[in-house]
Each structure stands twice: as C-alpha cells, then as structure tokens.
Amino acid sequence: MRIVEVLDQKHRKDFLDIARIIYKNDSNYACPFDAEIEGVFDPKENSFFKHGEATRWILINGEGKLIGRIAAFINTNKAFSFDQPTGGCGFFECINDKKAAFLLFDTAKQWLTVRGMEAMDGPVNFGENDNHWGLLVEGFIPQGYGMPYHQKYYKAFFEDYGFKVFFEQYSYHLDRTKPFPERFWKIAEWIAKKPGFTFEHFTFENSEKYIQDLIAIYDEAWQFHDNFSPIDPDDIRKMARDGKGVIDEEFIWFAYHEGKPIAFFVMMPDVNQILVKMDGKFNFWNKLKFLYHLKTKTITRARITIMGVVPKYQRFGVESAIFWHMEKVLEHKTHYKEVELSWVGDFNPKMISIYESVGGVKMKTHFTYRLLFDPTKPFKRTPIIPLENRGSKAKEKKVKERG
C-alpha cells in the first residue's frame, strides 16, 4: 500500500473519486458536489486557512487501485484551548481493511504530531461543525444535507485504533403529517405574541443586517461554551451567496426583545434529495436537472442546521415561539413532509428536551471521537451544558467533566 499526499489535479480527482468507489450502488449515499469538498481545501474559499492549515492523502494498493483517503487539519483558534493541543482528521473513507485504515490514521497522526499536536478529533471538518462532522453509527438511512454518511464498519476502525467518544450527536426527525402537542402550541403562541418580543425572517435585501444579528447572538450564546471561537462574517456571507438559489428566506428566523437580537433559527431545504441523483457533478446537464427538481418540489424534507438563544432569554420559551412562526410558514409549503432537527450534542440536554417536546424522534447518531496520542493522559468527554442559564464564567466552571 502506498500513501500519496494530494498535491496535483490528478490526485485531487482521485480523492473525490474514492467516495464514489466506496459507496457505489448505495442508494442512501448522496455525494456532495465536488466543488464543495474542494472548497474545504482551498485557501481562497475556506477562511479557516486564516488561522490554520490542512492537507490530505489518498491510499493506493499494490495493484494501483484507490482504496482510501483521509485529511488532517489544525484550527489554531481552538487547538490550544484543550488540555492537549488538538488537531483533527476527516473525510475518511476506506475499504473494509483494518491495516489500510490504520495506515491512514497513522499518516494523519504523524502530520499533526510534527506540528505540535497531542490529540486528534475525528472525523471532523476543517470548518464549522454543521457540515461533515461526526461518524454515523446509528440510522443508516438517507442523511440530511451536510450530515455525513458512512460505512458501518468504520466504527470498529476508529475504536480499535484507540479513538474514544468525545461527544455524541443526535438527529431528530419531525413528521409534519402529525400535529404538534397542543400544550406546546399554547405556550409557543403566548410567547410569540408577548409585548416586547418581535420575530422576523431573513431577507436577502437586508442580508448584512441579519448576518450581524446572527453573529451578535452566536457570540453571546456560545461565549461560555467549551472551546468557543467567534464566527468569521466572511463565512456567513459566502454561505448566503452560495446558497442564494436554494435558501428559503422564510426558513431563517430571528427573535428580538425591544429591538435587541436574542435568538436565531436556520433551516434549509434538504438538497440531498436532489444530490443523490447527481453523483457530485455540477455540469451543465446537472445544473438543469437541479433547477428542474427545485421547481417541481422534489424536496420534501428540510433540515434545521442551527439554533441559538442568548443566555438571558433561554427560559422565556423563545425557541417555542420561533417554531410557532415556522409552522405558519410550512402551512403554505405543503410539499414539506419531514423536518430533520440536527444535530444536537449529548452535552446539550436543554436542546434535546426542546426537540422532544415538539414531537421529534431520534433517528440518527453520529460520534465525534478524540484520540490522545499519550494514552496515559486522562481522557475527558466534552462537558455537559447545565440546564440553567449560564450568565458567568463561574457557572461554567461548575460544569461536570465526564470521564
């Protein structure tokens, strides 16, 4: 077997083709657009290169066949915030061969070690954690856009190599043909109409205003979260530009209290229902096919990608009120039959409670693993977010570490 670092156009193509080889004839797999994956590794496209570095490799067997791939990256904004400096590996794909898998892990580990890292998370993304993050271990069914799909045998590869679960990620599904619990709606409507609170959806015309509001909410809501780092506004602007043909303005909501932004909610049409027909290519004919399926309402599923509420308002039921407004929107978009609520970590019991209160059913589980290069060091799972509001660092220090 031979490891080759991806440095030229041929090997970039090979890196993309490996996923097509691994999932050939698997109808559950929706291949991401090649350009999307390439963008992760392009400093001109990915702002994480401003504060990090990344590379990737392919694995070739003795007969010259492609049998695996992996990427490694360091986000310096987060790497040194852990007990051990921690990098990441991702975009792992491999045939069912443990030696091949371990060689890929060894390669990523060695690259990170040379750069001062003492631990490796995986499989993760060189970017925000709403896309390409975690290993699928339960729910081998079609995934929502951005949620990775994997072979069942990958779990043994990671765990046999020494990776341990850092946190679990759950995706809940909401069947829109079933009504929400009546009690939920009464509370939601009361909050939605309470004086001082206003709700409005995103518009491209005022996109910069909403981008700034989202950043303000995110920074305040996540500032005490483990390993918080601010969002780069350029990332949000790029997502808005790139998604303009797909983003539904009425699927992105903001809540305000006396004019101050206090919560946001982002839901996207699940374009995987179209991508599954396109094999990752966005050539002329596939562009026409994509537009056709958009117009003919092939997409019947949406995915909630992120939701945030500033700590001071986390007990006001603002999340319920946003769901109330969102349900009013979906009443005139009847082709949407299902909503995926993803992903929520096992460290976030409050959000899990919200998802369950609206009737969500846990359908998929992904694991984010961590490997300590020195196995004698104590391993700690990501801390649980307390149910009470977190208004100070003192409260955050009281969070229980999970061994």
Side-chain angles (χ1 to χ4, degrees):
M1 291 184 289
R2 181 167 56 97
I3 283 279
V4 179
E5 188 172 6
V6 175
L7 297 173
D8 59 30
Q9 183 58 40
K10 178 187 182 304
H11 293 139
R12 284 194 288 271
K13 181 179 181 301
D14 290 341
F15 186 87
L16 298 168
D17 285 343
I18 286 168
R20 285 185 269 266
I21 293 169
I22 297 293
Y23 299 105
K24 186 178 181 180
N25 301 322
D26 189 334
S27 61
N28 288 328
Y29 178 70
C31 187
F33 282 131
D34 291 350
E36 177 187 339
I37 304 302
E38 282 300 289
V40 173
F41 300 97
D42 185 346
K44 296 178 182 178
E45 294 287 329
N46 188 349
S47 69
F48 273 62
F49 279 97
K50 296 176 184 177
H51 47 82
E53 57 181 314
T55 192
R56 49 184 165 156
W57 301 267
I58 58 173
L59 182 61
I60 303 171
N61 69 8
E63 299 174 354
K65 294 182 179 180
L66 300 168
I67 60 171
R69 74 181 194 187
I70 199 167
F73 13 77
I74 300 171
N75 174 2
T76 55
N77 281 358
K78 287 188 177 182
F80 300 97
S81 62
F82 302 101
D83 292 340
Q84 294 85 20
T86 302
C89 67
F91 299 93
F92 170 85
E93 304 290 356
C94 190
I95 62 170
N96 194 358
D97 183 317
K98 183 180 287 189
K99 288 184 179 179
F102 280 19
L103 178 55
L104 290 165
F105 293 147
D106 285 343
T107 302
K109 177 183 175 182
Q110 181 180 10
W111 186 86
L112 292 170
T113 300
V114 168
R115 287 158 179 77
M117 298 296 102
E118 299 174 12
M120 175 169 68
D121 288 350
V124 298
N125 184 26
F126 189 50
E128 299 297 341
N129 65 11
D130 59 328
N131 286 321
H132 310 300
W133 200 284
L135 182 80
L136 181 66
V137 296
E138 293 179 0
F140 292 87
I141 57 178
Q143 301 298 299
Y145 176 73
M147 293 300 293
Y149 181 82
H150 294 116
Q151 294 286 4
K152 293 180 180 180
Y153 57 82
Y154 286 4
K155 182 174 183 288
F157 286 166
F158 277 83
E159 295 181 0
D160 290 350
Y161 190 76
F163 284 91
K164 296 181 180 179
V165 178
F166 188 48
F167 58 81
E168 300 182 10
Q169 306 159 230
Y170 307 135
S171 294
Y172 286 75
H173 283 216
L174 189 63
D175 183 349
R176 289 211 60 255
T177 64
K178 298 179 180 179
F180 274 33
E182 185 62 30
R183 180 178 177 276
F184 174 86
W185 279 134
K186 288 180 178 179
I187 296 172
E189 185 175 8
W190 177 72
I191 296 295
K193 296 180 178 179
K194 193 173 182 180
F197 289 86
T198 55
F199 301 83
E200 56 190 70
H201 66 75
F202 172 84
T203 64
F204 281 104
E205 183 180 1
N206 294 313
S207 62
E208 188 59 31
K209 169 195 179 301
Y210 292 114
I211 288 170
Q212 295 303 322
D213 289 348
L214 186 150
I215 291 170
I217 296 163
Y218 181 90
D219 287 352
E220 190 170 350
W222 272 273
Q223 62 180 314
F224 299 121
H225 190 274
D226 190 40
N227 311 306
F228 161 79
S229 63
I231 291 179
D232 189 326
D234 288 341
D235 285 342
I236 308 299
R237 295 185 186 106
K238 182 178 184 301
M239 283 189 281
R241 288 195 307 271
D242 292 349
K244 195 165 186 178
V246 175
I247 290 173
D248 189 320
E249 293 179 331
E250 293 183 303
F251 279 8
I252 302 175
W253 280 83
F254 290 82
Y256 301 85
H257 183 247
E258 297 179 350
K260 176 189 174 181
I262 62 169
F264 69 85
F265 168 101
V266 178
M267 186 166 81
M268 298 288 290
D270 188 1
V271 296
N272 267 7
Q273 290 181 291
I274 300 177
L275 297 189
V276 73
K277 310 171 189 295
M278 302 174 69
D279 202 28
K281 306 295 184 182
F282 203 45
N283 52 34
F284 176 75
W285 292 112
N286 275 351
K287 287 179 182 179
L288 293 180
K289 185 187 294 184
F290 190 86
L291 291 172
Y292 169 78
H293 286 294
L294 280 180
K295 294 291 185 182
T296 55
K297 300 180 179 179
T298 294
I299 298 176
T300 61
R301 185 172 65 231
R303 178 195 169 204
I304 297 173
T305 59
I306 188 170
M307 186 181 213
V309 183
V310 301
K312 181 180 177 181
Y313 295 91
Q314 286 178 1
R315 287 186 175 179
F316 283 70
V318 176
E319 305 95 331
S320 301
I322 292 176
F323 270 101
W324 185 84
H325 283 281
M326 192 66 250
E327 179 65 13
K328 299 299 179 185
V329 170
L330 288 173
E331 284 178 359
H332 66 265
K333 299 179 186 288
T334 56
H335 57 290
Y336 285 98
K337 307 298 183 186
E338 184 180 10
V339 174
E340 179 174 306
L341 315 169
S342 65
W343 53 266
V344 58
D346 64 344
F347 52 81
N348 193 347
K350 178 177 176 60
M351 191 56 68
I352 290 173
S353 177
I354 291 170
Y355 282 0
E356 292 177 347
S357 73
V358 299
V361 177
K362 186 167 71 175
M363 297 288 288
K364 303 163 188 169
T365 300
H366 290 74
F367 286 172
T368 293
Y369 288 101
R370 174 163 291 179
L371 174 76
L372 301 184
F373 298 164
D374 181 351
T376 67
K377 295 286 183 67
F379 180 86
K380 299 176 183 177
R381 292 189 65 170
T382 195
I384 295 174
I385 300 173
L387 286 172
E388 69 272 13
N389 287 348
R390 294 171 300 151
S392 69
K393 289 186 177 179
K395 285 185 179 180
E396 184 66 10
K397 289 178 182 177
K398 295 180 182 178
V399 174
K400 179 182 179 182
E401 295 279 11
R402 295 182 291 166

